[in-house]
Amino acid sequence: MTSIQRLRLRPDVYLGTHPDGELALVHAGRRGERFGALTSGQRAALRQLSNGWTTELELHATIKLHDGHSNDGLLRRLAAGGWISTRIELPDRPLVTVRPLGPNPDPPARPAVPRLSRFAVLRRESDAFVLESPLARAAVTVHDGEVLTVLHGLAGSDPGSGARSLPEDVLDELVRILAWHRFVHDAEEDVRPDFGSDQWTPHELLFHSRSRGGHHDEPAGPTMWAAGRFDPLPGRREPFGGTAIALPHPAITNDPPLSEVLESRRSIRWHDDEHPLSIEQLGEFLYRCARVQRIDVDGGHEVSLRPSPAGGALQSLEIYPLVSRSRGVRPGLYHYDPFG
């Protein structure tokens, strides 16, 4: 029993044609690649990939039908550019689906002794498992329990351990795919010092790579994932109970230049308990740093403009002064109301 490899254009990829006739692929407006003037057979193969799952043999047959001949150039370029998803299956069931997260132009060689990377993370999504890694330019959806057994074996450098229903050539194909996307490396790397990776824990590097661009072409930043599912939060949170304390507004004076403020800045860690901050000083500090200057609406949700910057003016931080000594404010934990 041998495995079947099926291909299709990854989700959110669109075909476009330039005025000069050259074809381009665009992924959700985040990146694109020009493929030049393709033959009629290559264009037919791209349409075939966009319509659903197909095999490499079927794609070559389509190209040959239109052009009279075929080669692997287009498919190699699509794979290296991260444009096509791959599904490995047996005749009776799917095993894994590999969804690219960006270009993967230089796949490493198949490891002599394969070992699962310590950065590999397995999580549940819907009714399947998803294998991810901050080192990988792909996410692998695992459909079959035997593949989980393979992953367990790779954690101990034995991919075949316990996976008795998967033929040897299928195991080899799975290991090749996992190694190509850097989920698997040679076991020697586990004992080879590498400051670039040893300084990271898996969750730190995964957050570092997924929360910014450059390591993937997935959405990052203001993805608006809750739009249509939840009402936007108001710019001002519900007030706390308790007695409010009015803070004095500072007098507008001739302030020193910003350069002078920056140059004279110092961190003070030993405080003078005999001369603590006054309520006037606390009020001025919070007023100048965190008060709401203006409320606006952006994309259907309220935002507030303040002296301190915030991404998208969302101002996600609430300020809770913990006062131990202050002239005019009793000791306690307070919430600063930047609106009032």
Side-chain angles (χ1 to χ4, degrees):
M1 184 185 299
T2 59
S3 63
I4 304 169
Q5 185 175 119
R6 299 191 184 277
L7 311 171
R8 69 173 300 172
L9 282 181
R10 57 182 288 196
D12 299 325
V13 169
Y14 307 93
L15 306 178
T17 304
H18 287 268
D20 57 9
E22 292 192 354
L23 188 139
L25 293 182
V26 178
H27 174 242
R30 283 182 284 274
R31 71 179 180 97
E33 182 179 352
R34 295 184 70 153
F35 280 77
L38 300 182
T39 66
S40 59
Q42 290 173 327
R43 288 175 176 266
L46 277 175
R47 289 193 296 270
Q48 189 172 337
L49 282 166
S50 66
N51 289 332
W53 293 102
T54 185
T55 66
E56 191 170 336
L57 287 177
E58 291 169 341
L59 291 170
H60 284 303
T62 296
I63 297 174
K64 188 174 182 179
L65 178 66
H66 289 77
D67 298 343
H69 61 86
S70 180
N71 61 63
D72 293 330
L74 176 63
L75 293 183
R76 285 199 304 269
R77 186 172 175 187
L78 290 170
W83 295 109
I84 49 177
S85 297
T86 304
R87 189 170 71 193
I88 308 297
E89 58 185 42
L90 294 176
D92 58 341
R93 65 189 195 270
L95 297 178
V96 298
T97 299
V98 181
R99 177 173 57 88
L101 302 179
N104 188 23
D106 300 309
R110 189 189 190 283
V113 182
R115 188 75 181 269
L116 189 68
S117 167
R118 74 179 183 91
F119 291 103
V121 176
L122 192 67
R123 62 177 178 83
R124 184 185 73 84
E125 185 174 284
S126 188
D127 57 351
F129 287 94
V130 176
L131 183 67
E132 294 179 300
S133 168
L135 305 180
R137 292 293 184 92
V140 178
T141 301
V142 179
H143 305 288
D144 191 84
E146 291 291 340
V147 180
L148 297 178
T149 306
V150 172
L151 296 175
H152 181 268
L154 285 168
S157 301
D158 183 9
S161 175
R164 302 304 175 206
S165 67
L166 295 182
E168 195 67 31
D169 61 331
V170 177
L171 279 174
D172 287 342
E173 178 69 4
L174 284 173
V175 172
R176 185 191 69 80
I177 288 285
L178 293 173
W180 186 38
H181 292 289
R182 295 169 179 81
F183 291 103
V184 167
H185 56 227
D186 200 287
E188 276 191 11
E189 291 192 24
D190 282 351
V191 296
R192 186 184 305 144
D194 180 11
F195 179 75
S197 61
D198 290 347
Q199 64 180 315
W200 295 99
T201 62
H203 65 279
E204 288 173 335
L205 190 55
L206 186 62
F207 176 79
H208 178 70
S209 65
R210 291 294 186 265
S211 60
R212 62 196 187 104
H215 296 270
H216 62 92
D217 55 19
E218 293 288 275
T223 59
M224 305 299 289
W225 64 271
R229 294 179 57 194
F230 302 97
D231 292 332
L233 295 175
R236 184 174 191 170
R237 60 155 291 126
E238 288 293 321
F240 286 97
T243 303
I245 298 177
L247 294 175
H249 283 203
I252 303 301
T253 59
N254 293 324
D255 293 329
L258 176 62
S259 59
E260 182 180 333
V261 174
L262 294 176
E263 292 293 335
S264 61
R265 188 214 62 80
R266 299 291 184 271
S267 295
I268 300 175
R269 296 180 176 86
W270 293 271
H271 304 286
D272 185 356
D273 291 342
E274 299 301 320
H275 301 86
L277 287 179
S278 66
I279 188 173
E280 290 78 15
Q281 291 171 315
L282 178 60
E284 179 171 4
F285 173 74
L286 294 172
Y287 181 88
R288 291 185 179 276
C289 297
R291 79 184 188 279
V292 171
Q293 299 166 307
R294 182 164 59 90
I295 300 174
D296 209 338
V297 176
D298 181 20
H301 57 266
E302 286 186 339
V303 297
S304 59
L305 303 179
R306 313 186 190 190
S308 56
L314 294 178
Q315 301 288 353
S316 59
L317 296 180
E318 296 283 342
I319 297 178
Y320 296 88
L322 179 58
V323 178
S324 59
R325 287 181 177 85
S326 174
R327 294 197 308 274
V329 183
R330 294 177 59 186
L333 178 65
Y334 295 86
H335 172 256
Y336 176 61
D337 177 11
F339 289 82

